[in-house]
Amino acid sequence: MEIFPISLKLQQQRCLIVGGGHIACRKANLLVKAGAVVDVIAPVIIPELSLLVEQSGGQYIASPFSETVLATPYRLVIAATDQPDVNKAVFEQCEQRNLLVNSVDDIPHCRFMVPAIIDRSPLVISVASNGASPVLSRQLRTQIETLVPHGMGKLAEFSGQWRKRVKAKIANPDERRIFWENLYASPLKEQVFNDNLAVANDLIQQVLTEWTAPKGEVYLVGAGPGDPELLTLKALRLMQQADVVIYDRLVSAPILDLCRRDAEKIYVGKARSNHSVPQDGINALLVEYAQQGKRVCRLKGGDPFIFGRGGEEIQELVEANVTFQVVPGITAASGCSAYAGIPLTHRDYAQSVRFLTGHLKEGSPELPWNELVYENQTLVLYMGLVGLERICEQLIAHGQRPDMPVALISKGTTPEQKVVIGSLADIASKVSDNQIVAPTLTIIGEVVRLREQLKWQ
């Protein structure tokens, strides 16, 4: 993050705009809406800008920019002239005085940026791109405008009127957050939107009077194979309201960034021969935090019920009488095969698909080899990279032809996705040659031949 977003309170604060044209007028309009007192220094000023200055209680200084004007203790300064040398001079003089300064469309000479704004006062939403793409910021603002009802401003103002009373009743900040979240999901919101404030006040008073500390809950959430856009809507909602996030090695960083920013995050990743936290410890953590009244998101790569040990975890929750929800995720087989352009089934190549774990116990394969040697079947191996050579040998030994196509998909659905194609006879030798690393999914079957025709990534 190259810029630090803040919201400035500028009511009755004196601000300076250098420049008297239309660009200066646009900036002055924003400052006046925020309650600032606006001074303008410029040889000439357009009538619209002059009216804004008068409206704010500021003054117009009819002269070119001079550093002497900065003797006034301004909160911030905006350079909005069409003369780069003047804007640069304004920036340099402000820097010497530790004044916040913005030079319009001149990124090197800005100490702050003016974002695209969605105004639902007192709720204000801003979108900024660090000056890299103002047009994109404005387009995003337009999209967000359609998603945020105008009544949201009324709801924010209504909430502010009750904030002290809610805080006095509910001292615990985590509980207060749950109170407000539940309230915003209730009929109260529509009552405020429709200006039925008497009804809304009765509703919030009733909820506040009857409030009791909430019980903890666990959300077992499938995060999918890596691309954050493959998350379900429910997964995203629960991730953003959880107090604690317990996540594993297969959860990508962009997905973790979508969790509530102030949630406690606990890494319990497991790699081969290196378990950060053993499974029993993870189960105990889920119970412990839930019993403290926390909302716990157990975030797992892929789908929690497909080689994700989700069943083991909720068994522990059931025994401890902990409430839970399960949110399915796109499993690696579906996500990685789709992003690699390999359909798992096809009328001409495979009428069935089988998901298997490639983990070998004590060096001995536990797979039903005879059932796997079938021409019109697709095999999908999770976690099979380490035992890949042994698996290929066993399939060939049990009758599968050595030239059966195989695909390795490393870090599927992410920008680092890598796909290597081979056969049972040679795929193991291609792992090191192509620097294939975990997590890697293995697909075995005739459908692999379709990749050259269907790949779209």
Side-chain angles (χ1 to χ4, degrees):
M1 187 169 70
E2 296 182 6
I3 51 176
F4 180 70
I6 60 173
S7 299
L8 290 175
K9 298 182 72 172
L10 293 176
Q11 290 84 359
Q12 297 304 308
Q13 301 299 300
R14 192 167 290 274
C15 302
L16 175 68
I17 295 179
V18 181
H22 291 286
I23 295 176
C25 189
R26 290 205 305 269
K27 304 303 180 186
N29 189 49
L30 292 174
L31 292 175
V32 171
K33 281 186 176 181
V37 177
V38 179
D39 291 351
V40 170
I41 181 170
V44 179
I45 188 172
I46 62 174
E48 297 92 332
L49 179 54
S50 181
L51 285 173
L52 286 171
V53 170
E54 182 180 352
Q55 177 185 339
S56 75
Q59 61 176 330
Y60 166 52
I61 305 165
S63 72
F65 172 74
S66 168
E67 64 183 80
T68 57
V69 74
L70 297 179
T72 299
Y74 290 112
R75 280 293 186 186
L76 58 82
V77 176
I78 296 177
T81 78
D82 57 2
Q83 302 171 60
D85 57 332
V86 173
N87 293 342
K88 180 182 178 182
V90 174
F91 174 78
E92 291 173 346
Q93 291 298 323
C94 288
E95 283 285 276
Q96 291 179 20
R97 294 166 173 79
N98 287 324
L99 273 172
L100 287 175
V101 58
N102 170 269
S103 298
V104 179
D105 291 333
D106 186 2
I107 298 173
H109 298 125
C110 288
R111 184 55 61 188
F112 74 93
M113 310 290 182
V114 180
I117 296 170
I118 300 96
D119 187 2
R120 300 287 188 270
S121 294
L123 178 68
V124 177
I125 304 167
S126 62
V127 181
S129 64
N130 196 19
S133 182
V135 173
L136 179 60
S137 295
R138 288 194 291 270
Q139 284 186 345
L140 286 173
R141 178 193 63 193
T142 301
Q143 293 176 25
I144 296 171
E145 285 271 12
T146 65
L147 300 175
V148 183
H150 283 269
M152 282 296 184
K154 299 177 187 177
L155 185 60
E157 185 174 1
F158 177 87
S159 301
Q161 294 169 358
W162 278 88
R163 188 177 178 190
K164 287 185 178 179
R165 278 174 281 183
V166 171
K167 188 174 183 179
K169 169 75 175 182
I170 308 172
N172 186 295
D174 289 332
E175 289 185 25
R176 280 203 306 275
R177 182 169 54 250
I178 295 172
F179 171 86
W180 287 113
E181 287 174 352
N182 291 346
L183 203 68
Y184 295 149
S186 76
L188 175 138
K189 182 167 66 175
E190 290 300 324
Q191 297 297 337
V192 175
F193 284 2
N194 293 322
D195 293 320
N196 297 326
L197 298 184
V199 176
N201 280 311
D202 288 343
L203 283 172
I204 191 171
Q205 182 62 64
Q206 180 182 353
V207 175
L208 191 59
T209 301
E210 298 173 354
W211 178 260
T212 57
K215 292 183 178 180
E217 186 176 9
V218 174
Y219 313 135
L220 191 62
V221 175
D227 185 345
E229 292 192 340
L230 296 181
L231 283 168
T232 65
L233 294 174
K234 187 171 185 179
L236 185 60
R237 176 172 61 82
L238 296 181
M239 287 162 57
Q240 292 180 343
Q241 73 180 35
D243 306 303
V244 180
V245 179
I246 298 176
Y247 66 101
D248 64 30
R249 183 176 62 93
L250 298 180
V251 176
S252 66
I255 288 177
L256 194 61
D257 287 342
L258 294 174
C259 295
R260 211 182 83 209
R261 196 172 300 277
D262 60 340
E264 182 180 356
K265 298 178 179 66
I266 302 172
Y267 174 69
V268 293
K270 296 189 289 289
R272 188 172 69 97
S273 302
N274 180 21
H275 290 198
S276 175
V277 178
Q279 188 61 50
D280 288 347
I282 295 173
N283 299 347
L285 276 175
L286 297 178
V287 172
E288 178 185 345
Y289 278 104
Q291 289 178 340
Q292 293 175 12
K294 305 282 189 181
R295 294 175 297 179
V296 184
C297 176
R298 174 65 173 112
L299 197 57
K300 306 172 77 71
D303 180 276
F305 279 5
I306 299 181
F307 304 124
R309 297 190 177 181
E312 299 174 37
E313 293 177 356
I314 64 172
Q315 280 180 310
E316 192 90 6
L317 299 176
V318 170
E319 292 176 5
N321 198 28
V322 171
T323 303
F324 64 89
Q325 300 181 46
V326 180
V327 183
I330 292 179
T331 187
S334 297
C336 297
S337 63
Y339 275 53
I342 301 173
L344 295 179
T345 62
H346 189 287
R347 285 191 300 173
D348 297 332
Y349 298 97
Q351 287 75 53
S352 65
V353 59
R354 193 158 184 165
F355 296 171
L356 307 158
T357 176
H359 269 324
L360 305 181
K361 186 176 181 180
E362 298 176 356
S364 301
E366 293 186 334
L367 299 176
W369 302 110
N370 290 327
E371 297 177 16
L372 305 183
V373 180
Y374 179 64
E375 187 72 17
N376 295 328
Q377 175 177 252
T378 303
L379 302 180
V380 181
L381 288 165
Y382 289 69
M383 302 167 286
L385 194 59
V386 173
L388 182 62
E389 183 174 3
R390 185 71 176 275
I391 291 168
C392 292
E393 290 173 353
Q394 288 295 323
L395 286 172
I396 293 172
H398 284 78
Q400 188 57 275
R401 49 191 175 84
D403 64 347
M404 177 61 76
V406 181
L408 299 177
I409 308 170
S410 175
K411 298 184 178 180
T413 78
T414 73
E416 294 80 34
Q417 174 176 296
K418 182 182 290 188
V419 181
V420 173
I421 304 296
S423 66
L424 283 176
D426 66 9
I427 193 66
S429 66
K430 295 187 176 186
V431 173
S432 59
D433 293 344
N434 291 276
Q435 298 180 324
I436 297 296
V437 296
T440 294
L441 192 82
T442 305
I443 301 177
I444 302 171
E446 285 293 329
V447 290
V448 173
R449 297 189 190 278
L450 293 169
R451 170 173 160 76
E452 281 305 310
Q453 179 185 357
L454 304 181
K455 64 181 179 183
W456 56 276
Q457 278 286 80

Short mmCIF file of all heavy atoms in Angstrom, two decimals, residues 107 128-139:
data_model
loop_
_atom_site.label_atom_id
_atom_site.label_comp_id
_atom_site.label_asym_id
_atom_site.label_seq_id
_atom_site.Cartn_x
_atom_site.Cartn_y
_atom_site.Cartn_z
N ILE A 107 1.73 13.97 -9.98
CA ILE A 107 1.97 13.02 -8.89
C ILE A 107 3.25 13.31 -8.11
O ILE A 107 3.26 13.27 -6.87
CB ILE A 107 1.99 11.57 -9.43
CG1 ILE A 107 0.61 11.24 -10.01
CG2 ILE A 107 2.34 10.58 -8.33
CD1 ILE A 107 0.56 9.90 -10.72
N ALA A 128 -9.19 5.56 -4.50
CA ALA A 128 -7.96 6.23 -4.94
C ALA A 128 -7.03 5.23 -5.61
O ALA A 128 -7.02 4.04 -5.27
CB ALA A 128 -7.25 6.88 -3.76
N SER A 129 -6.24 5.70 -6.56
CA SER A 129 -5.30 4.84 -7.28
C SER A 129 -3.87 5.38 -7.20
O SER A 129 -3.04 5.04 -8.03
CB SER A 129 -5.71 4.71 -8.75
OG SER A 129 -5.63 5.97 -9.41
N ASN A 130 -3.60 6.25 -6.22
CA ASN A 130 -2.28 6.86 -6.07
C ASN A 130 -1.89 7.65 -7.32
O ASN A 130 -0.73 7.74 -7.68
CB ASN A 130 -1.21 5.81 -5.75
CG ASN A 130 0.07 6.42 -5.22
OD1 ASN A 130 0.08 7.56 -4.76
ND2 ASN A 130 1.18 5.68 -5.30
N GLY A 131 -2.90 8.18 -8.00
CA GLY A 131 -2.66 8.97 -9.19
C GLY A 131 -2.36 8.16 -10.43
O GLY A 131 -2.19 8.73 -11.52
N ALA A 132 -2.32 6.83 -10.31
CA ALA A 132 -1.95 5.99 -11.46
C ALA A 132 -3.05 5.97 -12.50
O ALA A 132 -2.78 5.94 -13.71
CB ALA A 132 -1.64 4.56 -11.00
N SER A 133 -4.32 5.97 -12.08
CA SER A 133 -5.42 5.88 -13.04
C SER A 133 -6.66 6.56 -12.48
O SER A 133 -7.57 5.90 -11.99
CB SER A 133 -5.71 4.41 -13.37
OG SER A 133 -6.74 4.33 -14.33
N PRO A 134 -6.75 7.89 -12.59
CA PRO A 134 -7.93 8.60 -12.10
C PRO A 134 -9.21 8.17 -12.80
O PRO A 134 -10.27 8.13 -12.18
CB PRO A 134 -7.60 10.07 -12.40
CG PRO A 134 -6.11 10.13 -12.53
CD PRO A 134 -5.70 8.81 -13.09
N VAL A 135 -9.12 7.83 -14.09
CA VAL A 135 -10.31 7.40 -14.83
C VAL A 135 -10.85 6.10 -14.25
O VAL A 135 -12.06 5.93 -14.08
CB VAL A 135 -9.99 7.24 -16.33
CG1 VAL A 135 -11.18 6.64 -17.07
CG2 VAL A 135 -9.62 8.59 -16.94
N LEU A 136 -9.95 5.17 -13.93
CA LEU A 136 -10.37 3.90 -13.33
C LEU A 136 -11.03 4.16 -11.98
O LEU A 136 -12.06 3.54 -11.65
CB LEU A 136 -9.18 2.97 -13.16
CG LEU A 136 -9.47 1.62 -12.50
CD1 LEU A 136 -10.47 0.82 -13.32
CD2 LEU A 136 -8.17 0.81 -12.33
N SER A 137 -10.47 5.06 -11.18
CA SER A 137 -11.07 5.39 -9.88
C SER A 137 -12.49 5.93 -10.07
O SER A 137 -13.41 5.57 -9.33
CB SER A 137 -10.22 6.41 -9.15
OG SER A 137 -8.96 5.89 -8.81
N ARG A 138 -12.67 6.78 -11.07
CA ARG A 138 -14.00 7.35 -11.31
C ARG A 138 -14.98 6.28 -11.79
O ARG A 138 -16.17 6.29 -11.43
CB ARG A 138 -13.91 8.50 -12.32
CG ARG A 138 -13.28 9.75 -11.75
CD ARG A 138 -13.51 10.96 -12.64
NE ARG A 138 -12.78 10.87 -13.89
CZ ARG A 138 -11.54 11.33 -14.08
NH1 ARG A 138 -10.90 11.88 -13.07
NH2 ARG A 138 -10.96 11.23 -15.26
N GLN A 139 -14.50 5.33 -12.61
CA GLN A 139 -15.37 4.25 -13.06
C GLN A 139 -15.81 3.38 -11.88
O GLN A 139 -16.97 2.98 -11.78
CB GLN A 139 -14.66 3.39 -14.12
CG GLN A 139 -14.59 4.04 -15.49
CD GLN A 139 -14.02 3.10 -16.54
OE1 GLN A 139 -13.42 2.08 -16.21
NE2 GLN A 139 -14.21 3.45 -17.81
#
